[in-house]
């Protein structure tokens, strides 16, 4: 087994059943993704539209592509034909554009809403009020080609694990608070939280999907 194959195998041994591993492969060459593919791994996360499209075109078609980075509305059209899950929907405007492009492709695209939980400005996401107002609006209920499957959050980049835990907990609380809300395009099942440095904590706090890059593929420096 290669290092990458060992890392994935080890992670699968550690994470509880019911938590899905997404391998974050941004900046990593296709050959390295294929190493993971060879042992049956299929879920890859990418941050940049052009890089994702290039990899989609070159790699096997049964790969499940997750978009996890900041998505500009004018680029949605490039990934709408094939993306499996968009984790990083950070505005109503973006969600509406995904709905439009999804409709053009005859699809329903699964989305997670990225919620701002960190104590630093560099992270993006909707704030809680914006989220609650959006799902309550008539305009939201009209979107037929997206399905909101859950929430995503990124914690503050810090060694203070108490703060990170508190942030993950706040996302889980919002998830529970809105879980009973039902619409034909809304059914909360997933919480995408946790990366290489904090996934064990995220899992303790209720994560169902972890996005792990450097612990699988090595650092990106
Ligand atoms: C890069 C990235 C990750 C993976 O980060 P690692 O620390 O390398 O595991 C996860 N989520 C998002 C949104 C990212 O941009």
């Amino acid at each position: 087994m290669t290092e990458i194959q060992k890392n994935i195998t080890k992670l699968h041994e550690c994470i509880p059943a019911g938590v899905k591993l997404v391998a974050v492969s941004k900046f990593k060459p296709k050959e390295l993704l294929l190493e993971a593919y060879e042992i049956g791994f299929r879920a890859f996360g990418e941050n940049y539209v052009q890089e994702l499209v290039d990899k989609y075109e070159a790699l096997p078609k049964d790969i499940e592509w997750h978009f996890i980075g900041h998505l500009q509305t004018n680029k949605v059209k490039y990934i709408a034909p094939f993306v499996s899950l968009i984790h990083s929907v950070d505005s109503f405007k973006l969600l509406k554009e995904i709905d439009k492009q999804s409709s053009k492709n005859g699809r329903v695209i699964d989305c997670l809403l990225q919620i701002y939980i960190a104590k630093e400005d560099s992270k993006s996401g909707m704030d809680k009020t914006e989220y609650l107002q959006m799902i309550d609006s008539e305009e939201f209920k009209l979107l037929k080609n997206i399905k909101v499957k859950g929430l995503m959050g990124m914690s503050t980049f810090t060694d203070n694990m108490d703060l990170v835990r508190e942030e993950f907990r706040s996302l889980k609380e919002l998830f529970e608070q809105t879980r009973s809300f039902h619409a034909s395009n809304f059914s909360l099942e997933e919480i995408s939280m946790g990366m290489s440095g904090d996934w064990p904590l995220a899992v303790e706090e209720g994560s169902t999907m972890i996005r792990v890059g450097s612990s699988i593929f090595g650092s990106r420096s």
Side-chain angles (χ1 to χ4, degrees):
M1 280 215 272
T2 68
E3 280 307 309
I4 288 169
Q5 292 172 342
K6 280 185 211 158
N7 293 339
I8 289 179
T9 306
K10 217 181 291 167
L11 275 163
H12 274 146
E13 283 164 11
C14 295
I15 61 181
V19 176
K20 182 177 172 107
L21 174 63
V22 176
V24 176
S25 46
K26 60 183 171 214
F27 304 138
K28 298 295 176 182
K30 299 170 188 104
E31 296 70 48
L32 299 190
L33 281 72
L34 279 174
E35 288 184 21
Y37 184 88
E38 277 166 18
I39 55 164
F41 191 80
R42 293 293 180 270
F44 296 93
E46 290 283 338
N47 288 58
Y48 302 96
V49 167
Q50 188 58 54
E51 185 178 353
L52 171 54
V53 170
D54 289 346
K55 285 174 174 168
Y56 165 73
E57 284 172 355
L59 290 168
K61 292 296 171 284
D62 60 343
I63 287 177
E64 196 185 290
W65 292 106
H66 294 242
F67 192 84
I68 63 169
H70 178 66
L71 183 55
Q72 289 171 273
T73 49
N74 63 345
K75 293 194 174 161
V76 173
K77 57 176 176 284
Y78 301 115
I79 64 170
F82 66 88
V83 70
S84 284
L85 179 64
I86 301 175
H87 290 233
S88 44
V89 179
D90 58 3
S91 71
F92 199 178
K93 179 175 166 233
L94 176 59
L95 191 66
K96 285 186 265 191
E97 178 63 17
I98 296 169
D99 183 72
K100 182 176 151 195
Q101 297 300 334
S102 179
S103 165
K104 279 192 182 170
N105 285 278
R107 302 187 63 203
V108 173
I109 296 180
D110 289 342
C111 295
L112 306 180
L113 302 175
Q114 183 172 357
I115 306 295
Y116 181 81
I117 55 171
K119 303 280 181 289
E120 62 184 335
D121 293 338
S122 61
K123 300 283 194 299
S124 57
M126 297 184 187
D127 67 36
K128 292 171 187 178
T129 316
E130 201 181 342
Y131 163 61
L132 295 173
Q133 283 172 353
M134 184 185 83
I135 62 175
D136 209 30
S137 71
E138 286 309 312
E139 214 184 342
F140 175 75
K141 294 181 184 94
L142 294 175
L143 304 178
K144 298 275 185 285
N145 292 83
I146 53 96
K147 182 144 196 191
V148 173
K149 305 273 276 187
L151 305 179
M152 184 272 232
M154 288 177 81
S155 64
T156 303
F157 184 71
T158 172
D159 291 335
N160 181 350
M161 285 299 146
D162 290 337
L163 177 62
V164 172
R165 186 183 292 281
E166 197 183 295
E167 291 170 355
F168 286 152
R169 197 164 285 179
S170 73
L171 187 62
K172 169 73 167 169
E173 275 167 15
L174 189 64
F175 177 87
E176 292 302 339
Q177 189 189 328
T178 45
R179 205 174 188 175
S180 59
F181 178 90
H182 279 289
S184 56
N185 61 1
F186 184 97
S187 174
L188 290 190
E189 290 155 29
E190 307 290 348
I191 309 181
S192 169
M193 58 184 189
M195 322 196 328
S196 294
D198 57 18
W199 71 261
L201 210 70
V203 167
E204 279 176 27
E205 296 302 328
S207 174
T208 66
M209 236 180 223
I210 59 175
R211 309 176 311 271
V212 179
S214 39
S215 294
I216 294 174
F217 296 108
S219 72
R220 290 178 295 272
S221 60

